[in-house]
Amino acid sequence: MTDFIILFFITFSAALLGVVPPGLINITAAKISTQKGKINGVIFSVGASLIVLIQAFIAVLISKYLYKNREVIDTLLKVALVIFILLGIYFFIIAKKKKEKRIRMVKVSKKSSFFKGIFLATLNVLPIPYFAGLNALWNVSGLMEFTVSYIIIFVLAAGLGTFAMLYMYVFYFDKSQSSSGKFSKHSDYILSVLMLVLVIITLIRIFFK
C-alpha cells in the first residue's frame, strides 16, 4: 500500500508540474473560462484529462522499449510538429478576425466544451513521451512495476494531476473581470505565439536528440 501511495503522489506531482507552464490545453481552458464561464472551463478540463488517462496508458505500453526504439518518439514529435504549425496558423487567423470585435459572454453547450477538451488533448501528443519517460524512470528506480495495480495507479495519478492544474488555471483567470477581459482579448495571440514556441522546441528535440 505504501508503494502505491508513493507512486501516486510522485506521478500526480509530475503530471501537475508538467501542466504548470502555459501550454495549448491550459491556456485554452483559461480562455474558455473567461469567455464562456468557469463551468465550461471545468467541463473542458474533464474532457482533456480523460484523454490524458489514455495517453498515460499508452505511455506505459511503450516505456519498456522507449530508448531501444527511438523511432517511436521521433514519429510522435514529427506529428506534433505538423499539428503545432497548423494550430499556430489557425489561432493567428482567429485572432486577426477578432481584432475589431468586443468579447462578450456567450451561452455555449457544456457538451461542446467537453468534446473540445477531448479533441485538443488528442492533438497534443507530447504527454505520451513525457509520461513514458516518467514511467521508465519510476521502473528503473524500483517505484513502478508493470502489473495491473501499478499501471492503474500511474494512469489515475497522471489524469488527476493534469486535471488539478487545469482546474487552477480555470479559476485563476476567472477571479478578476478586468484581467479576464484582457486575457480573453489576447488569448488567441498568446496561443499562436505558444504554438511557435512549441514548434521551435519540437524541432530542437528532433534534431538534437
Side-chain angles (χ1 to χ4, degrees):
M1 182 61 70
T2 302
D3 293 341
F4 290 156
I5 294 175
I6 294 175
L7 175 63
F8 181 89
F9 177 76
I10 60 175
T11 305
F12 180 92
S13 301
L16 187 145
L17 292 174
V19 195
V20 169
L24 172 64
I25 305 302
N26 48 24
I27 290 294
T28 304
K31 174 187 172 183
I32 289 176
S33 175
T34 58
Q35 291 185 340
K36 304 171 184 178
K38 58 187 177 182
I39 297 299
N40 277 285
V42 171
I43 296 298
F44 170 88
S45 301
V46 171
S49 298
L50 287 177
I51 295 301
V52 171
L53 292 175
I54 298 174
Q55 291 173 330
F57 179 70
I58 295 174
V60 173
L61 297 181
I62 69 174
S63 62
K64 290 183 179 180
Y65 56 92
L66 177 64
Y67 298 108
K68 294 181 180 179
N69 297 271
R70 186 67 194 182
E71 64 274 8
V72 175
I73 302 303
D74 290 343
T75 300
L76 289 175
L77 288 174
K78 290 173 183 176
V79 171
L81 178 64
V82 175
I83 291 174
F84 289 147
I85 291 174
L86 294 177
L87 286 175
I89 296 173
Y90 168 78
F91 286 124
F92 183 76
I93 292 175
I94 294 298
K96 294 292 286 185
K97 288 183 177 180
K98 290 169 57 177
K99 188 173 182 180
E100 302 300 329
K101 295 180 180 180
R102 185 181 65 178
I103 294 185
R104 57 186 177 84
M105 295 294 290
V106 294
K107 185 177 181 180
V108 179
S109 169
K110 296 180 178 63
K111 184 182 295 186
S112 66
S113 296
F114 177 76
F115 285 111
K116 185 172 184 179
I118 289 179
F119 176 70
L120 288 184
T122 302
L123 293 180
N124 185 31
V125 297
L126 289 181
I128 296 178
Y130 175 70
F131 286 122
L134 287 178
N135 190 264
L137 178 60
W138 299 165
N139 185 55
V140 170
S141 303
L143 297 171
M144 173 79 187
E145 297 178 11
F146 293 106
T147 63
V148 175
S149 299
Y150 278 95
I151 292 174
I152 291 175
I153 294 297
F154 179 85
V155 170
L156 286 177
L160 291 174
T162 300
F163 176 77
M165 181 50 64
L166 291 178
Y167 187 88
M168 284 187 270
Y169 260 86
V170 166
F171 280 87
Y172 172 78
F173 284 108
D174 194 57
K175 287 186 178 298
S176 170
Q177 287 290 356
S178 59
S179 62
S180 294
K182 182 181 293 186
F183 175 81
S184 179
K185 181 179 180 180
H186 301 291
S187 58
D188 287 308
Y189 281 115
I190 294 174
L191 286 168
S192 180
V193 173
L194 175 63
M195 292 305 104
L196 176 61
V197 173
L198 290 176
V199 166
I200 295 173
I201 293 175
T202 306
L203 284 172
I204 293 174
R205 294 183 63 182
I206 290 175
F207 292 105
F208 300 94
K209 302 175 185 178

